[in-house]
Amino acid sequence: MCVSAILFACFNRTIVGWYLDISKPENAAVIKMASQFLLLAGGFQVFDGLQVSGSLALRGLKDTTAAMLITLFSYWAVGCASGALFCFVFGFGGAGLWMGMTLGLATAAVLLLWRFNRQVRIS
């Protein structure tokens, strides 16, 4: 996930160039927005990988109820709420939704890995 995040960050204009002609001035606004979205998607990739690892580690411990409740809270209460806040209240538009989803994944990653660490110490 970190490799894809680095690629998204370092080559965002190149990746956008695969789909749009970056030499045309009429594409400038879309290129700028898509490049910004790729930066956000890079952060999303890192936290998504961490939360999947935490969820699967808890599954290995047969602690699936806690994983479900943590992800439910993280995706809906944190991710959707903060995404709506960033998008509509703070005016970030589509980027705000991505920021909210990334924040939700980051919350899930931290809580799932904390839960796993706690469960392993108890066993």
Side-chain angles (χ1 to χ4, degrees):
M1 298 306 140
C2 290
V3 171
S4 63
I6 291 168
L7 291 174
F8 285 173
C10 294
F11 300 106
N12 56 353
R13 285 185 57 85
T14 303
I15 294 169
V16 172
W18 294 340
Y19 301 97
L20 292 171
D21 186 353
I22 58 174
S23 65
K24 290 187 176 180
E26 59 266 18
N27 291 338
V30 176
I31 292 166
K32 180 181 177 185
M33 185 181 302
S35 296
Q36 291 172 346
F37 281 146
L38 280 173
L39 291 174
L40 291 168
F44 184 93
Q45 289 284 313
V46 171
F47 293 119
D48 190 37
L50 288 171
Q51 69 88 25
V52 166
S53 299
S55 180
L56 293 177
L58 286 173
R59 186 186 298 178
L61 294 177
K62 299 185 188 315
D63 191 9
T64 55
T65 303
M68 178 197 65
L69 294 173
I70 288 169
T71 55
L72 181 71
F73 167 76
S74 299
Y75 300 161
W76 288 99
V78 177
C80 284
S82 63
L85 189 70
F86 292 144
C87 178
F88 301 113
V89 176
F90 296 133
F92 289 115
L97 291 175
W98 273 96
M99 286 187 262
M101 289 189 298
T102 304
L103 184 59
L105 284 173
T107 303
V110 168
L111 293 176
L112 289 166
L113 293 172
W114 169 80
R115 173 74 180 194
F116 175 76
N117 188 36
R118 186 169 164 242
Q119 291 298 94
V120 169
R121 286 185 182 180
I122 291 172
S123 316

